[in-house]
């Protein structure tokens, strides 16, 4: 134990945090594959390596670290891996920006190398923040999705699902972002409210209303409701498309809304999901008017090469000059946009790769998982229920996991690599055997790559040791922590893939965290200027304060507003706790405590009861991930119960050096030891600093979770009484303008039963305290009257003085129950309400005393002379 006079007066978080960061060993957080302990494997989210670990990540990781540390203390073999989800467009765009190139200026391999290099640099930077935040990461289980050992597994999972029928290739309409030049999945479509124009034009005598005139070249049919009398003559007819001149059939479908526009609609391939539905239903032709770059194709004739927007303007102008544009109206519309770049998505029919979605088996697995908070399961259910299309997993990008497939040039047969040869890039290498169908030796490698979610949705398989053979050794993981914004993607895809590859649920539990909002209550964004960077908080207040904010900001699962005030309050708590710690250390140093000393004083027993209750409450909260509840209970115990109540009560005893001092010492050290352990998951630096000073250099992080219990019902009740009485008298001192340590003379406490306080009350109040069980014998006398001039003034004006004289003449009984009226200079006048209050004094054994009541306890006090 460090001598208490060597302990700094102030807690210097910067010095302490840096020192421990340099002392702790990574090995202490490694998952032990040979351990007998129960496993607790965490499927940590792999963040995108942007270079900045943002505040939302920080919140998510704080939650993870709270329970990772807690579970370790509870005796679990914990795996807290760290992954990095590297592939994808944002890095490609960044590389283009930084190198002033476009992806087509260099070879695919060179472009990938540049992406890898940038990603590695960013990961290095983010690892540093993770370490500063004191996350107890298992660095022996780090994975990086762009590395061969990871994306080899992604490819293996692809081949397995191809083999068992979950993955197929097909030409099918998909959501497509023409800016990103790639197909995207439904989960990646964001919806935005926009205003557009509804254009009414003449389609060979039928009025059509459309928001997408640029798709006229892709028109494949007109549709009307079968019972719409206006159009029964059109039945079975063909119509000529204006401007383009090709003929299209008129179809009838009950899904057409006769009340919308003219009641006739044109079907294009493809304006929206409904078009896709009709196109399939009625077996219509396919006309591709827009290409992958968002440009008009050759079927658009004169408009070929224009962007969709240019084409729209041109067609409307042409309609006008042809005199077929009847009118235009404003229309509010929800538009599907690319979640990354906000470009409105097009629906293009393309040859793509798909994962078959089987809603029933995903529902079943989702229901076998325990969801925290429970209502998040509803979101998953809703998403599964509305699933219409399979998951499009092919992307037309570069920095991603290659699809490990070739096609025979001669017979189009699909060739897959041997699993032992993975990973492969089919655009760089050729199969090592001839085509099994035709014997050909010429192959085309698949140039499409995989959706990034194909990488990240096997994170749990990777960390549990999947090698392609059935169920991995540590599967399922115990918990998946993640944000609610990726339930439709990461959670959904992970469940789908686990079921497809192992036949089982991926985790026992899922813990869903909320989003972090700016101090103004809005989503953080550059344009609002309300972004808070974790590094800034770390610099000003340290990791422990930031971690406390994360725990206390909101109930787990709720969105949480960032607040500097909360961070400041957290750092204040550390200051206060440090003062308590120093006090405890000084006391323990004076005379070593004896673990076997009997605890007799009421205050001591009471504190142990409170401590036991707190430990129970904190443990219960930790078990169900209610970090705000847990930390609040710890704070209240430390601040209110221990510092404000107990130490104030026991201080005098500790200074006197009598026998029961030892009992107080034991209690103090028990309480403080427990506090350190309970704080260890939340404020690992601070808890370590306190614990190590009290325990000759031992680390709190290798201690078990606190298991202390203490049951003493009498101490709970009497102790509460004791604490309330002391607080009451202290308040009385304060209200009477006395210093808290001012001597008070004789204090008599009339309580239902006598209390053995070992003299604590007297020392704390600096008074001669007597506990009595008999009833107080008090005589009460009115010694003064306090007049309310705000009432009397306006009511009596010049007669105010006379009124007060009249009141003073009333009998004590009348003063206590004022009459309705009073005689004033010969006139009966009304006594206004609240005009005066009598002031009482009490006489006890012939001496004037002050009295306060605490519940049904009466306390009398004689002010010392
Ligand atoms: Zn996009
Ligand atoms: Zn062949």
């Amino acid at each position: 134990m460090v001598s208490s006079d060597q302990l700094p007066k102030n807690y210097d978080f910067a010095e302490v945090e840096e020192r421990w960061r340099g002392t702790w060993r990574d090995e202490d957080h490694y998952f032990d594959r040979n351990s007998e302990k129960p496993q607790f494997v965490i499927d940590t989210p792999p963040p995108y390596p942007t270079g900045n670990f943002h505040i939302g990540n920080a919140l998510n990781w704080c939650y993870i670290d709270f329970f990772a540390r807690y579970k370790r203390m509870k005796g679990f073999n914990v795996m807290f891996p760290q992954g990095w989800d590297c592939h994808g467009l944002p890095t490609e765009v960044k590389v283009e920006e930084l190198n002033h190139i476009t992806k087509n200026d260099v070879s695919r391999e060179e472009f990938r190398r540049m992406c890898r290099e940038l990603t590695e640099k960013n990961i290095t930077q983010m690892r540093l923040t993770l370490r500063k935040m004191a996350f107890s990461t298992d660095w022996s289980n780090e994975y990086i999705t762009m590395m061969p050992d990871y994306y080899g597994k992604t490819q293996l999972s692809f081949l397995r699902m191809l083999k068992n029928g979950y993955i197929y290739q097909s030409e099918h309409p998909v959501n497509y972002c023409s800016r990103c030049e790639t197909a995207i999945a439904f989960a990646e479509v964001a919806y935005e409210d926009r205003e557009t124009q509804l254009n009414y034009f003449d389609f060979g005598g039928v009025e059509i209303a459309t928001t997408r005139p640029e798709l006229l070249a892709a028109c494949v049919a007109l549709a009307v409701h079968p019972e719409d009398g206006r159009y029964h003559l059109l039945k079975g007819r063909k119509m000529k498309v204006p401007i383009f001149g090709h003929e299209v059939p008129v179809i009838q479908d009950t899904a057409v809304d006769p009340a919308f526009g003219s009641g006739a609609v044109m079907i294009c391939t493809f304006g929206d999901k409904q078009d896709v539905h009709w196109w399939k239903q009625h077996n219509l032709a396919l006309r591709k008017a827009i290409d992958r770059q968002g440009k008009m194709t050759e079927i658009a004739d004169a408009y070929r090469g224009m962007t969709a927007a240019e084409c729209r303007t041109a067609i409307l102008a042409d309609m006008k000059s042809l005199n077929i544009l009847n009118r235009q109206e404003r229309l509010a519309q929800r538009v599907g946009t690319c979640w990354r770049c906000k470009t409105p998505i097009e629906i293009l029919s393309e040859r793509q790769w798909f994962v078959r979605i089987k809603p029933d088996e995903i529902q079943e697995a989702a229901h076998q998982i325990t969801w925290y908070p429970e209502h998040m399961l509803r979101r998953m259910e809703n998403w599964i229920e509305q699933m219409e299309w399979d998951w499009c997993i092919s992307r037309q990008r570069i920095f991603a996991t290659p699809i490990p497939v070739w096609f025979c040039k001669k017979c189009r047969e699909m060739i897959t690599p041997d699993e032992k040869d993975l990973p492969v890039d089919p655009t760089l290498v050729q199969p090592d055997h001839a085509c099994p169908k035709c014997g050909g030796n010429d192959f085309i490698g698949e140039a499409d790559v995989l959706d990034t979610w194909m990488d990240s949705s096997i994170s749990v398989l990777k960390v549990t040791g999947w090698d392609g053979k059935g169920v991995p050794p540590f599967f399922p993981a115990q918990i998946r922590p993640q944000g609610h914004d990726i339930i439709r993607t990461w959670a959904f895809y992970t469940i789908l893939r686990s079921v497809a590859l192992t036949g089982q649920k991926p985790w026992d539990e899922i813990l869903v965290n909320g989003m972090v909002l700016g101090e103004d209550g809005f989503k953080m964004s550059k344009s609002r200027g309300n972004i808070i960077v974790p590094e800034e908080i770390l610099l000003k207040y340290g990791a422990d304060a930031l971690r406390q904010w994360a725990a206390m900001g909101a109930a787990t699962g709720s969105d949480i507003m960032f607040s500097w005030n909360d961070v400041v309050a957290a750092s204040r708590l550390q200051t206060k706790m440090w003062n308590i710690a120093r006090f405890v250390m000084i006391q323990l140093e004076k005379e070593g405590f004896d673990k076997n000393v009997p605890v007799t004083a009421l205050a001591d027993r009471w504190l142990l009861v409170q401590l036991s209750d707190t430990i129970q409450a904190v443990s219960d909260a930790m078990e169900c991930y209610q970090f705000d509840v847990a930390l609040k209970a710890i704070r209240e115990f430390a601040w209110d119960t221990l510092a404000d109540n107990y130490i104030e009560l026991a201080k005098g005893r500790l200074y006197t050096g009598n026998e029961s001092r030892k009992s107080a010492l034991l209690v103090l050290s028990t309480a403080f030891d427990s506090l350190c352990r309970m704080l260890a998951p939340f404020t690992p630096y601070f808890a370590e600093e306190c614990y190590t000073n009290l325990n000759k250099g031992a680390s709190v992080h290798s201690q078990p979770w606190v298991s202390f219990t203490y049951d003493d019902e009498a101490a709970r009740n009497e102790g509460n009484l004791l604490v309330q009485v002391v607080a009451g008298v202290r308040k009385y001192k304060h209200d009477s303008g006395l210093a808290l340590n001012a001597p008070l003379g004789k204090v008599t406490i009339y309580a239902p039963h006598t209390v053995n306080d070992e003299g604590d009350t007297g020392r704390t109040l600096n008074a001669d305290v007597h506990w009595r069980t008999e009833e107080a014998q008090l005589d009460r006398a009115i010694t003064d009257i306090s007049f309310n001039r705000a009432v009397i003034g306006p009511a009596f004006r010049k007669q105010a003085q006379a009124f007060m004289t009249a009141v003073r003449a009333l009998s004590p009984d009348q003063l206590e129950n004022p009459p309705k009226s009073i005689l004033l200079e010969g006139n009966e006048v009304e006594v206004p309400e609240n005009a005066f209050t009598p002031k009482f004094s009490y006489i006890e054994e012939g001496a004037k005393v002050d009295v306060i009541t605490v519940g049904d306890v009466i306390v009398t006090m004689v002010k010392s002379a």
Side-chain angles (χ1 to χ4, degrees), residues 408 411 413 435 438:
C408 171
C411 75
E413 175 75 355
C435 170
C438 74

Side-chain angles (χ1 to χ4, degrees), residues 717-718 720-722 724-726 728-729 747-753 755 770-774 776 778 851-860:
N717 297 331
E718 289 173 17
N720 284 340
L721 176 69
L722 175 67
Q724 282 163 17
V725 166
V726 168
V729 177
V747 171
T748 313
I749 305 164
Y750 296 92
H753 38 77
V755 163
H770 301 262
W771 289 84
R772 298 254 181 93
T773 47
E774 69 264 25
L778 295 176
V851 176
I852 61 165
T853 54
V854 179
D856 51 5
V857 175
I858 293 169
V859 184
T860 67

Side-chain angles (χ1 to χ4, degrees), residues 407-415 434-443:
F407 296 97
C408 171
K409 267 191 184 164
K410 214 155 131 198
C411 75
R412 296 300 298 160
E413 175 75 355
M414 182 170 72
I415 320 281
C435 170
K437 203 170 158 194
C438 74
N441 270 311
D442 225 355
F443 304 94

Side-chain angles (χ1 to χ4, degrees), residues 238-256:
K238 292 218 169 206
M239 304 278 290
K240 209 174 206 178
V241 176
I243 299 177
F244 297 96
H246 60 283
E247 289 203 323
V248 297
V250 178
I251 60 153
Q252 302 187 4
D253 198 296
T254 49
V256 178

Side-chain angles (χ1 to χ4, degrees), residues 89 176-182 184 337-343 345:
L89 192 70
Y176 200 91
C177 173
S178 57
R179 200 213 66 89
C180 301
E181 288 185 40
T182 185
I184 60 174
T337 61
C338 169
W339 77 323
R340 292 194 199 278
C341 73
K342 302 285 166 227
T343 305
I345 51 126

Side-chain angles (χ1 to χ4, degrees), residues 276-293:
V276 176
H277 180 78
W278 279 327
W279 173 74
K280 276 197 222 168
Q281 199 82 3
H282 297 276
N283 229 341
L284 299 169
L286 178 66
R287 290 178 65 88
K288 300 185 190 182
I290 297 178
D291 71 9
R292 291 178 170 212
Q293 282 79 41

Side-chain angles (χ1 to χ4, degrees), residues 697-822:
S699 167
V700 72
H701 300 300
S702 47
Q703 307 307 314
W705 182 251
V706 55
S707 63
F708 175 83
T709 58
Y710 188 86
D711 194 16
D712 186 339
E713 213 39 46
R716 183 196 309 275
N717 297 331
E718 289 173 17
N720 284 340
L721 176 69
L722 175 67
V723 165
Q724 282 163 17
V725 166
V726 168
V729 177
R730 285 163 72 95
K731 181 176 182 299
Y732 159 82
K733 274 187 164 180
H734 176 84
D735 293 348
S736 323
L738 292 171
L740 285 184
N741 58 359
L744 199 58
K746 185 180 170 194
V747 171
T748 313
I749 305 164
Y750 296 92
H753 38 77
T754 189
V755 163
N756 170 23
D757 69 356
E758 306 252 359
D760 285 345
T761 325
R763 280 186 296 268
T764 307
L765 298 176
N766 197 4
D768 172 22
V769 169
H770 301 262
W771 289 84
R772 298 254 181 93
T773 47
E774 69 264 25
E775 218 160 282
Q777 299 294 323
L778 295 176
D779 293 320
R780 196 167 72 153
I782 294 175
T783 49
D784 198 2
I785 300 162
S786 126
F787 288 99
N788 187 349
R789 283 169 204 279
V791 173
I792 297 171
F796 297 101
R797 301 190 181 275
K798 282 183 181 162
Q799 287 185 306
Q801 210 54 47
F803 173 74
M804 290 195 280
T805 310
V807 169
R808 284 201 184 95
L810 293 171
S811 72
D813 192 41
Q814 285 174 309
L815 282 171
E816 264 195 82
N817 302 293
K820 285 222 171 349
S821 60
I822 197 168

